[in-house]
Structure formats: structure tokens, C-alpha cells
Amino acid sequence: MEDVLETYSMPYDKEIPMICMDEQPVQLLGEKLKPIPMKPGKPRIQDYEYVRNGTCSIFVFTEPLGGWRHVTASERRTKKDWALQVQELLEVHYPDAKRVRLVMDNLNTHGLSSLYETFPPDKALALSKRLEIHYTPKHGSWLNIAEIELNAMTKQCLGRRIDNIEELQNQISAWESARNDSGKQVQWHFTTGNARDKLRWLYPKI
């Protein structure tokens, strides 16, 4: 926990940006009956029954100090999917950064081994050298700022039925653009001192 909090307290560094990453599953739901469109004085009418069209996963990367985030819908959340997302982060979004401080939870897919299972060894090594990974503790996903971004996206963008991954990507990309253009930032106030005071029961007794 303190490792993540100390990482959050570091000043902005363009050459070594701090990025938070998280993911969440999403159900793709279609309409069983065609909704009746909204009319003057009458709201849109939607039947309670829906059609399940499977699930997918949304990956989010956010740079809290830069007011930037990027979201992608993926059919799966395998090691390869995570590795491809990290490759895009490093080579497309941060090609000039010396390395990236990456904060994320410790899922079995979130590891350097995923890079080696996806890319040739030389490529995997080059990517891994540009990563400085900081894992949130078990049961401590609330420490991940990317989770705050996912919550905002869910409330602002996903409160309706979306029946296919293409439309989902269109919707979350529009949300991403609007939020990035607004320069919206997450203001993080919980510090190491707060943790030692308020979460004393988590620390070992010596």
C-alpha cells in the first residue's frame, strides 16, 4: 500500500509518467422488442426484456497528473490482450518516455511473463525494460486511480443497453475524448501518513 501511495506523491515527470491501469467486464445487451422513440411530452419506452449478446472487457489507462485517459473494448481479457494493451501504451501513447510507472492490481494476466508469452524475447525484453510496475495490495483495488475513472465512465456512459462491441467502443471513445478535452483530473488526497493513522490495524504488531 505504501509503495503505491509514495508513487502517487511523486511530482509530475514527463520522461517517467505515472500511469494507472484497470479493467472491467461488460455485458452486451440487445433489445428483444424495439423501443418506442421519445416524442414531445413522452419519454422513450423500453421493454424490460433484453437479449444477452455475450460479454467483453474494457481496459483503461489513465495518467492522473496529465488529465489523460484511454479506454479500449476487448473481446477477452487474456495475457495476450493485456500485453497488446501495454505495447500500445508504450509505443503509441508514450513512445518518448524513458519508462512508465504502471500502477495496477496483481491479476495473473498483469505480469511481465505475459509479454514473453505474446512477443519474441527481444521485443518482450525491450518493453519490460520500460516498465516500472507498482501493484496494489490484495483487497486494495480502491487504491487504483484507474478504478475511479472506470466508475465515472460506467455512470456517464454505460447506463444503457449496448448490444455489440463496435458500438461499445464508439461510445467509450466519445467519452474518452470529451473527458480528455475537459482536462478532468482525479484529485488524490489519501497519503502514507493517512494510511498509518487510519489503517493502523493493517500494519503488523512489533
Side-chain angles (χ1 to χ4, degrees):
M1 176 172 59
E2 290 196 1
D3 174 61
V4 172
L5 294 175
E6 286 298 298
T7 301
Y8 286 169
S9 69
M10 293 179 179
Y12 176 75
D13 188 339
K14 184 178 180 180
E15 294 188 340
I16 311 176
M18 190 270 290
I19 310 296
C20 298
M21 175 266 164
D22 202 1
E23 57 185 270
Q24 76 174 27
V26 176
Q27 278 200 86
L28 299 173
L29 302 175
E31 304 288 355
K32 191 167 185 179
L33 297 174
K34 186 176 181 180
I36 299 175
M38 179 175 58
K39 296 179 180 179
K42 293 184 178 181
R44 181 176 185 266
I45 299 176
Q46 181 183 51
D47 191 74
Y48 71 94
E49 290 192 273
Y50 54 84
V51 178
R52 296 179 185 272
N53 292 331
T55 62
C56 62
S57 187
I58 293 179
F59 290 87
V60 59
F61 290 86
T62 182
E63 184 185 358
L65 297 179
W68 173 89
R69 71 279 301 150
H70 177 63
V71 287
T72 304
S74 174
E75 292 182 356
R76 293 167 298 275
R77 50 168 296 276
T78 64
K79 290 184 176 183
K80 181 178 180 180
D81 294 303
W82 179 83
L84 291 173
Q85 292 294 322
V86 169
Q87 179 192 25
E88 179 181 340
L89 175 73
L90 295 175
E91 296 184 349
V92 177
H93 300 294
Y94 292 90
D96 299 323
K98 288 183 178 179
R99 66 179 186 274
V100 165
R101 293 189 176 104
L102 185 59
V103 177
M104 59 185 172
D105 53 9
N106 199 1
L107 286 180
N108 63 333
T109 56
H110 297 171
L112 298 181
S113 63
S114 297
L115 299 176
Y116 283 89
E117 292 182 29
T118 304
F119 304 110
D122 289 348
K123 177 77 168 180
L125 179 61
L127 292 172
S128 65
K129 281 185 173 181
R130 296 186 60 214
L131 287 176
E132 178 187 310
I133 296 177
H134 299 267
Y135 289 114
T136 58
K138 187 177 181 181
H139 307 304
S141 61
W142 57 273
L143 286 166
N144 193 342
I145 292 177
E147 190 170 283
I148 298 174
E149 291 287 349
L150 278 175
N151 288 336
M153 181 189 66
T154 299
K155 292 177 181 179
Q156 298 169 8
C157 184
L158 302 181
R160 57 190 181 278
R161 295 173 188 170
I162 300 176
D163 64 358
N164 63 82
I165 194 171
E166 291 78 15
E167 179 60 21
L168 175 63
Q169 183 63 62
N170 289 338
Q171 294 293 330
I172 62 177
S173 291
W175 175 85
E176 171 193 313
S177 296
R179 196 161 171 88
N180 284 340
D181 290 344
S182 71
K184 191 72 174 179
Q185 292 179 297
V186 173
Q187 302 299 321
W188 186 267
H189 299 290
F190 194 75
T191 66
T192 301
N194 297 142
R196 293 176 181 176
D197 179 45
K198 297 180 180 181
L199 302 177
R200 294 189 300 274
W201 54 275
L202 288 176
Y203 288 80
K205 300 294 188 296
I206 301 176

